[in-house]
Amino acid sequence: MKELVKGHFVKRNDLMKAPIVEIFSSFQGEGLWIGKRQIFVRFAGCNLSCNYCDTPNSQNASNGVLKSPEEVLEKINELKTPDLHSISFTGGEPLLYPDFINEIVDKTDLKIMIETNGTLPDSLYKIKRMNCVSLDIKLPEHFDGDWDENILNNEFLSLKSLVENNIKFYCKIIISPSTNLDVIKRIGEKLHDKFMDEKFTIVIQPQSPIEQWKNNSDILFDFSELLGEYFEVFTIPQTHKILNIE
Ligand code: SF4
């Protein structure tokens, strides 16, 4: 895990800014809120470096343009449409910037979604209002050697905070045709042991591009059956890529 980079936002004369890659309107392409119209605020900067990352440009904070919460809100207001479901804070890792997100949350009535890698439980805990959360469960294979159990432990702490605060969420697990069933089994059992009484939803997300599943789709049923023993399970690919939209 990369060292958590602090100070990605700066305060100048009480003006807080954060590095933003883009703000745009589209359909949510992943998970339980798939198809919902959202305004996406993509932060630059991430504390992880997953090898499948489909937004590599957002991993480095220096790739963003520093914007104030007011500038972000102005753009959000420009992009509002009648079918809008929520603002999605995404990245990179949006929870590197909890104070900045709170500045926006304080000034809007729009619903808030957070798309997070789940490894920053203290920051998640700080967010004043969240209507829905997508939280990744990272696998060892998602990293070129720098996965450690702390990643999973921090994801579990984030989940605990969501459960305790009664926030709607789902866990997302990205799998590839070579993902090891035993690894998923171990994580599933660990999750079940920790949160035995909770009703969890897990979204299994077959890695894009979807063509790689053409002759491998059988194992998707294996993953679903394995996790379905303990959780509500959906298997959903990234639809925005199929539609060729952002
Ligand atoms: S956590 Fe998300 S943004 Fe960060 S490297 Fe992994 S996939 Fe990319």
Side-chain angles (χ1 to χ4, degrees):
M1 182 160 44
K2 279 191 234 165
E3 201 178 321
L4 172 58
V5 184
K6 289 185 179 145
H8 276 172
F9 60 82
V10 291
K11 278 183 177 174
R12 264 186 243 128
N13 301 328
D14 282 332
L15 188 66
M16 183 187 287
K17 294 196 172 189
I20 305 291
V21 177
E22 55 183 349
I23 303 171
F24 61 99
S25 167
S26 189
F27 300 120
Q28 174 58 249
E30 300 179 353
L32 281 195
W33 290 280
I34 203 162
K36 293 284 188 189
R37 189 75 181 266
Q38 292 187 310
I39 294 170
F40 295 82
V41 177
R42 187 183 304 289
F43 289 94
C46 189
N47 58 322
L48 300 182
S49 46
C50 310
N51 50 24
Y52 67 85
C53 185
D54 59 359
T55 56
N57 192 38
S58 66
Q59 282 188 23
N60 192 327
S62 64
N63 287 335
V65 174
L66 286 176
K67 289 189 189 294
S68 66
E70 291 73 22
E71 287 172 305
V72 172
L73 273 165
E74 197 181 319
K75 186 68 187 174
I76 287 171
N77 285 329
E78 273 174 33
L79 291 171
K80 268 189 200 167
T81 52
D83 55 347
L84 183 64
H85 174 264
S86 51
I87 304 170
S88 173
F89 290 107
T90 187
E93 177 46 58
L95 291 179
L96 289 174
Y97 312 101
D99 299 331
F100 185 91
I101 291 174
N102 278 337
E103 288 280 314
I104 295 174
V105 166
D106 278 344
K107 294 186 176 84
T108 182
D109 293 332
L110 292 172
K111 285 189 201 162
I112 303 296
M113 178 171 182
I114 307 279
E115 299 191 60
T116 176
N117 63 36
T119 59
L120 303 173
D122 294 344
S123 295
L124 183 67
Y125 193 73
K126 272 192 189 174
I127 302 296
K128 292 181 184 171
R129 178 169 64 85
M130 293 170 275
N131 299 86
C132 43
V133 173
S134 167
L135 190 146
D136 290 352
I137 301 287
K138 301 291 185 188
L139 307 178
E141 67 174 40
H142 293 158
F143 303 95
D144 296 325
D146 56 354
W147 186 88
D148 68 61
E149 201 77 18
N150 278 336
I151 290 181
L152 196 58
N153 292 338
N154 281 326
E155 288 162 353
F156 282 13
L157 286 174
S158 294
L159 286 172
K160 187 167 176 277
S161 152
L162 292 173
V163 168
E164 284 173 358
N165 290 293
N166 211 16
I167 311 280
K168 282 185 193 164
F169 71 93
Y170 69 90
C171 297
K172 181 177 76 188
I173 303 183
I174 313 268
I175 59 160
S176 75
S178 61
T179 296
N180 189 316
L181 269 175
D182 288 339
V183 172
I184 298 290
K185 187 170 188 288
R186 186 178 78 83
I187 288 176
E189 286 172 352
K190 212 169 165 184
L191 261 177
H192 177 64
D193 286 349
K194 288 242 180 216
F195 300 98
M196 205 161 292
D197 298 328
E198 304 302 334
K199 285 204 162 59
F200 264 40
T201 299
I202 295 196
V203 172
I204 298 169
Q205 185 172 294
Q207 202 172 309
S208 297
I210 212 69
E211 291 70 32
Q212 67 186 303
W213 294 96
K214 226 174 188 173
N215 299 313
N216 293 302
S217 52
D218 281 0
I219 61 165
L220 293 174
F221 295 98
D222 296 335
F223 287 114
S224 179
E225 286 164 24
L226 222 160
L227 292 170
E229 191 171 332
Y230 307 119
F231 311 101
E232 182 184 35
V233 184
F234 292 80
T235 299
I236 311 176
Q238 290 180 302
T239 53
H240 55 296
K241 301 218 168 141
I242 295 167
L243 292 172
N244 204 20
I245 56 175
E246 233 187 324

